[in-house]
């Protein structure tokens, strides 16, 4: 099988490439080496892979790259919250327009194979919550005055009772709370429309908090595990937002790469899949695992600071991916994060 991987020189994309090559696939990579993520061409690229360092929006060059491919793993995107709302055009340009250009070219060459798009848990906004009186509820965005007062937990919009966070499933409503999240959901919508009109089989892989080797460091777009790891490397304490009790699901990048191999299997299922471990972890615990695994006596610092675009709790059930894709995470978050404290960042 010949597979196109967009963003295949990046953190997740490069691991997807490795997994596909190991699975016996012929791989073509398209990557623009976006300066926000790459200072130079990475040294971990595989000599057996056909790399095209072009922009997705260069449709003529892209048409040459997609010729003859049987499947596509679409990883290319700007990630993270960014520095300010001034980043909005860059996110939309790279994520939405880049995806549109890819789909346009795939349509022009008559592609009807498997398309796996890298989505994210951020499309859910807040996770799933249950009120003891009103059952499952959808809390509104947290208010700045409450956040400034250190009131981080959510309450029922009907009775103001404390809410219990629960694992979210793929049928939950989507409610993106920041620009990056909005672009990831739009990528899903564009790919779904492409599948309906062309007959291509589309799978949206909703990654949770991915960590592992080759993560970029010291950029505004790095994930929280990378930010904590970079602080430790510099001899500084990890700075934990809010009170550190916010819950996420941390999944190793090799498990994410394996999910793409599973998603691209011929005649496989379509739709959205949570790519998560099912073992959620509070952010402060993540910081402590990393500090305890690192040399020195540095301790995390809980700052009470917050970001408007952040949500309180979001973690997911990976049951559908296990049942329909035959995939499950193999790396336990505690063990994986402990090893990550020693892994090289990009």
């Amino acid at each position: 099988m010949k597979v196109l991987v967009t963003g295949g020189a990046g953190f997740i994309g490069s691991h997807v490439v490795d997994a596909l090559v190991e699975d016996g696939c012929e791989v073509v990579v398209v990557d623009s080496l976006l300066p926000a993520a790459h200072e130079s061409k990475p040294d971990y690229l595989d000599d057996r892979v056909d790399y095209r360092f072009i922009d997705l929006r260069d449709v003529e060059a892209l048409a040459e790259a997609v010729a003859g491919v049987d499947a596509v793993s679409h990883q290319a995107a700007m990630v993270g919250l960014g520095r300010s709302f001034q980043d909005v055009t860059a996110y939309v340009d790279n994520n939405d327009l880049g995806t549109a250009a890819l789909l346009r070219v795939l349509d022009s060459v008559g592609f009807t194979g498997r398309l796996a798009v890298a989505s994210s848990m951020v499309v859910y906004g807040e996770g799933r919550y249950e009120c003891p009186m009103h059952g499952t509820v959808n809390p509104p965005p947290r208010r700045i005055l409450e956040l400034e007062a250190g009131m981080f937990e959510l309450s029922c919009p009907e009775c103001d009772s404390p809410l219990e966070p629960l694992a979210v499933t793929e049928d939950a409503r989507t409610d993106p709370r920041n620009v990056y999240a909005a672009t990831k959901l739009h990528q899903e919508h564009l790919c779904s429309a492409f599948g309906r009109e062309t007959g291509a089989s589309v799978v949206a892989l909703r990654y949770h908090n991915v960590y592992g080797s080759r993560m970029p460091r010291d950029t505004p777009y790095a994930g929280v595990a990378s930010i904590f790891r970079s602080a430790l490397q510099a001899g500084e304490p990890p700075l934990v937002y809010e009170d550190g009790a916010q819950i996420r699901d941390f999944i190793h990048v090799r498990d994410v790469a394996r999910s793409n191999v599973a998603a691209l299997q011929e005649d496989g299922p379509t739709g959205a899949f949570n790519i998560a471990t099912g073992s959620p972890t509070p952010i402060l615990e993540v910081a402590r695992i990393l500090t305890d695994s690192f040399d020195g006596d540095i301790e995390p610092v809980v700052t009470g600071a917050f970001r408007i675009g952040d949500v309180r709790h979001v973690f997911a059930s990976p049951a559908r991916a296990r049942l329909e894709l035959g995939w499950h995470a193999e790396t336990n978050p505690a063990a994986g994060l402990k090893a990550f404290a020693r892994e090289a960042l990009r």
Side-chain angles (χ1 to χ4, degrees):
M1 181 168 65
K2 185 175 182 180
V3 183
L4 171 72
V5 180
T6 70
F11 164 43
I12 297 175
S14 65
H15 284 278
V16 172
V17 169
D18 290 348
L20 288 168
V21 170
E22 184 178 344
D23 197 53
C25 297
E26 178 185 356
V27 180
V28 179
V29 165
V30 168
D31 199 301
S32 65
L33 297 180
L34 193 68
H38 298 277
E39 291 182 351
S40 59
K41 187 167 72 172
D43 59 6
Y44 49 70
L45 303 184
D46 194 315
D47 292 338
R48 295 167 292 180
V49 172
D50 178 6
Y51 289 93
R52 312 286 182 96
F53 297 112
I54 60 174
D55 194 300
L56 279 179
R57 294 160 294 185
D58 182 350
V59 294
E60 292 186 4
L62 185 59
E64 295 181 7
V66 305
V69 301
D70 304 298
V72 177
S73 174
H74 180 31
Q75 307 296 315
M78 280 184 64
V79 301
L81 278 180
R83 291 165 289 195
S84 75
F85 200 82
Q86 292 298 306
D87 285 340
V88 61
T89 50
Y91 276 105
V92 171
D93 199 19
N94 282 278
N95 298 359
D96 297 340
L97 186 57
T99 298
L102 170 66
L103 298 176
R104 175 186 170 190
V105 170
L106 290 175
D107 179 63
S108 71
V109 299
F111 176 83
T112 58
R114 299 280 293 180
L115 167 61
V117 57
S119 187
S120 170
M121 56 88 174
V122 296
V123 303
Y124 295 120
E126 285 288 354
R128 180 183 172 208
Y129 292 87
E130 188 170 75
C131 170
M133 294 290 293
H134 296 95
T136 301
V137 297
N138 296 307
R142 296 180 294 174
R143 292 175 290 194
I144 294 178
L145 289 178
E146 293 174 343
L147 294 171
E148 289 176 339
M151 300 169 62
F152 302 122
E153 292 293 354
L154 293 154
S155 57
C156 176
E158 298 294 330
C159 67
D160 209 35
S161 296
L163 295 175
E164 179 185 0
L166 303 173
V168 68
T169 53
E170 291 86 352
D171 59 356
R173 75 168 189 172
T174 52
D175 183 20
R177 299 285 177 94
N178 56 60
V179 169
Y180 169 63
T183 64
K184 296 309 289 183
L185 184 57
H186 194 208
Q187 284 184 302
E188 283 196 28
H189 289 167
L190 290 171
C191 291
S192 294
F194 172 77
R196 286 192 296 271
E197 294 199 23
T198 65
S201 300
V202 177
V203 177
L205 301 175
R206 292 176 175 169
Y207 303 158
H208 284 247
N209 290 68
V210 188
Y211 68 94
S213 62
R214 305 175 190 167
M215 281 192 87
R217 64 180 179 188
D218 302 328
T219 84
Y221 312 101
V224 65
S226 175
I227 292 170
F228 288 169
R229 175 70 175 74
S230 295
L232 290 167
Q233 186 74 38
E236 300 171 354
L239 301 179
V240 179
Y241 280 19
E242 301 185 17
D243 59 1
Q246 57 270 48
I247 298 173
R248 300 291 188 271
D249 191 315
F250 285 80
I251 182 163
H252 199 279
V253 67
R254 287 193 297 271
D255 284 326
V256 171
R258 290 176 42 251
S259 76
N260 278 266
V261 176
L264 294 179
Q265 297 304 306
E266 189 176 359
D267 297 326
T270 59
F273 294 87
N274 289 322
I275 302 303
T277 66
S279 300
T281 309
I283 295 294
L284 181 56
E285 184 177 339
V286 171
R288 285 176 174 156
I289 291 171
L290 292 174
T291 53
D292 289 348
S293 305
F294 206 81
D295 286 336
D297 54 0
I298 299 174
E299 293 292 332
V301 173
V302 178
T303 67
F306 60 87
R307 298 185 298 183
I308 297 299
D310 277 341
V311 297
R312 182 59 175 172
H313 304 298
V314 57
F315 54 95
S317 166
R320 186 182 181 214
R322 178 186 287 271
L323 178 64
E324 297 187 28
L325 293 179
W327 171 92
H328 68 278
E330 295 180 347
T331 303
N332 174 273
L337 287 164
K338 184 176 181 179
F340 175 63
R342 299 290 180 180
E343 290 182 312
L345 299 178
R346 191 174 76 242

